[in-house]
Amino acid sequence: MNGPNRSRRRRRLWGRLGASLTACIVAGLGVPPVAAQAPRGETVASGLEHPWALAFLPDGRFLVTERPGRLRIVNPQGRLSPPLAGVPTVAARGQGGLLDVVLDAGFASNRTLYFCFSEPGPGGTNSTALARATLASDDSRLADVRVIFSQKPKVASTAHFGCRIVEARDGTLFLTLGERFSRKEDAQGLDTHHGKIVRVNKDGSVPRDNPFVGRAGALPETWSLGHRNAQGATLGPDGRLWEIEHGPQGGDEINLPQAGRNYGWPVITYGENYGGGPIGAGLTRKEGMEQPLHYWVPSIAPSGMVFLTSERYGAAWRGNLFVGSLKFGYLDRIELADGKVARETKLLQGVGRVRDVRQGPDGLLYLLTDEEDGKLVRVLP
């Protein structure tokens, strides 16, 4: 073999050997040879005024609440319907208005849905209420609207309504309730619904196995207490309830609320008063009060949460928790290991104030941005 041919053959051999060695080194280090491509947001619809919650109709359309008190249907091309008739009057001031909406598990056959809102009361008071209704066959209105739960007592406040709804596997409904900001001490008492998660049947009656049924002075709808302002709730893969709540200045939390447990607010918190200074005695732990699974300092103002059950973004994302950030305008991907938060990744930074996050029937994630010109955004792999 002549010199030039021998040189080319050696270069090919060394090239193949180098590639093999590189692959072995990469595999040994656990480093993927090609970085995963970040997801991107695709606007499905715009022109929504402070959209708050999203549900998926069986025919591929979207049901969206707007905080001023409107419920709209959005078609797959992004066209907004006129506001549906039948929505009750809401106290649309501050953080109040028409808030969460979920479809009944049997919606395809019974067309039943549930929504929560800030319900006006006498003398400028209000509280969070939960209603059930039927979506009319022509999709133009809500029929048979009935309030099945109303938070007690009503107070004059425009803050901390909570208002996330979750249907449990047994068919009961969980509803998160804020402590109304000015009544934070109520979160530790059982004689109000302030700062609680409540559990009711679909007709508003109290499940017999609620933890405080029969206790003197306790409101029987209460499931857990010591919450501040829960802005996200969902079922985990095992059917347990998860929730996220706003801390004050720091101390936003992820909790797994269990029956009868006390989650500490305002006695324990990882946050501080607005402008600085401890809340109460400045405790972060106390006997008889639960620790959060995870907390954020500084606050991200989390809102909306969902577990991803599909593999549309790859197998590594399946089972991850996704939470929106109102304060910083991103989608937080949370990886869990051994029951703890192992890693967080900021996605879609700058997308806007993320108010709600849901997984659609197509296995993709969707989110709403809470702005005057709010958007419904599809997260593309």
Side-chain angles (χ1 to χ4, degrees), residues 63-348:
L63 193 64
V64 178
T65 63
E66 292 176 296
R67 199 170 71 231
R70 294 183 292 270
L71 181 64
R72 296 185 189 271
I73 293 175
V74 181
N75 75 6
Q77 291 73 45
R79 188 172 67 250
L80 311 184
S81 77
L84 274 61
V87 175
T89 300
V90 306
R93 294 183 295 120
Q95 298 171 3
L98 181 60
L99 305 175
D100 205 10
V101 63
V102 300
L103 304 185
D104 183 81
F107 179 87
S109 59
N110 62 25
R111 298 183 68 80
T112 297
L113 56 85
Y114 308 93
F115 61 94
C116 57
F117 63 104
S118 51
E119 181 183 47
T125 63
N126 53 58
S127 68
T128 301
L130 173 64
R132 64 176 289 158
T134 302
L135 180 62
S137 58
D138 64 358
D139 299 330
S140 67
R141 61 188 175 87
L142 297 181
D144 308 316
V145 177
R146 183 163 68 91
V147 172
I148 60 173
F149 170 84
S150 187
Q151 183 187 34
K152 299 176 183 177
K154 284 180 164 55
V155 298
S157 174
T158 61
H160 293 193
F161 291 91
C163 207
R164 287 294 182 188
I165 310 163
V166 174
E167 181 176 345
R169 288 180 178 177
D170 64 3
T172 58
L173 300 174
F174 289 108
L175 175 67
T176 70
L177 299 170
E179 32 71 292
R180 308 312 315 278
F181 187 72
S182 61
R183 299 285 294 264
K184 65 179 183 294
E185 303 300 332
D186 287 358
Q188 286 298 310
L190 292 172
D191 57 343
T192 79
H193 292 127
H194 296 158
K196 310 298 192 298
I197 293 176
V198 297
R199 176 175 173 253
V200 297
N201 293 315
K202 291 180 178 179
D203 61 358
S205 62
V206 177
R208 294 179 180 179
D209 59 346
N210 268 10
F212 300 106
V213 169
R215 180 180 295 193
L219 295 177
E221 298 90 354
T222 299
W223 175 261
S224 59
L225 67 153
H227 301 285
R228 186 172 182 266
N229 188 27
Q231 295 286 286
T234 191
L235 292 185
D238 59 358
R240 288 192 297 171
L241 179 67
W242 290 59
E243 64 93 26
I244 49 173
E245 61 188 77
H246 288 195
Q249 187 168 278
D252 300 341
E253 296 179 355
I254 300 177
N255 291 301
L256 279 75
Q258 298 181 55
R261 300 287 181 88
N262 185 339
Y263 290 83
W265 176 257
V267 178
I268 61 172
T269 177
Y270 287 91
E272 60 181 15
N273 277 310
Y274 295 110
I279 291 172
L283 302 177
T284 57
R285 294 176 178 269
K286 188 173 182 180
E287 185 72 22
M289 295 182 177
E290 305 300 316
Q291 284 292 299
L293 175 77
H294 181 70
Y295 63 89
W296 287 275
V297 175
S299 292
I300 68 167
S303 187
M305 69 186 307
V306 70
F307 280 93
L308 184 69
T309 62
S310 79
E311 294 191 5
R312 293 296 303 272
Y313 305 92
W317 283 35
R318 189 172 187 268
N320 290 180
L321 182 64
F322 290 83
V323 170
S325 168
L326 289 163
K327 183 176 181 180
F328 296 115
Y330 65 82
L331 180 63
D332 193 14
R333 175 192 169 203
I334 301 173
E335 300 173 68
L336 301 164
D338 300 321
K340 298 179 181 179
V341 171
R343 183 183 179 189
E344 296 181 69
T345 305
K346 297 176 183 178
L347 307 172
L348 306 182

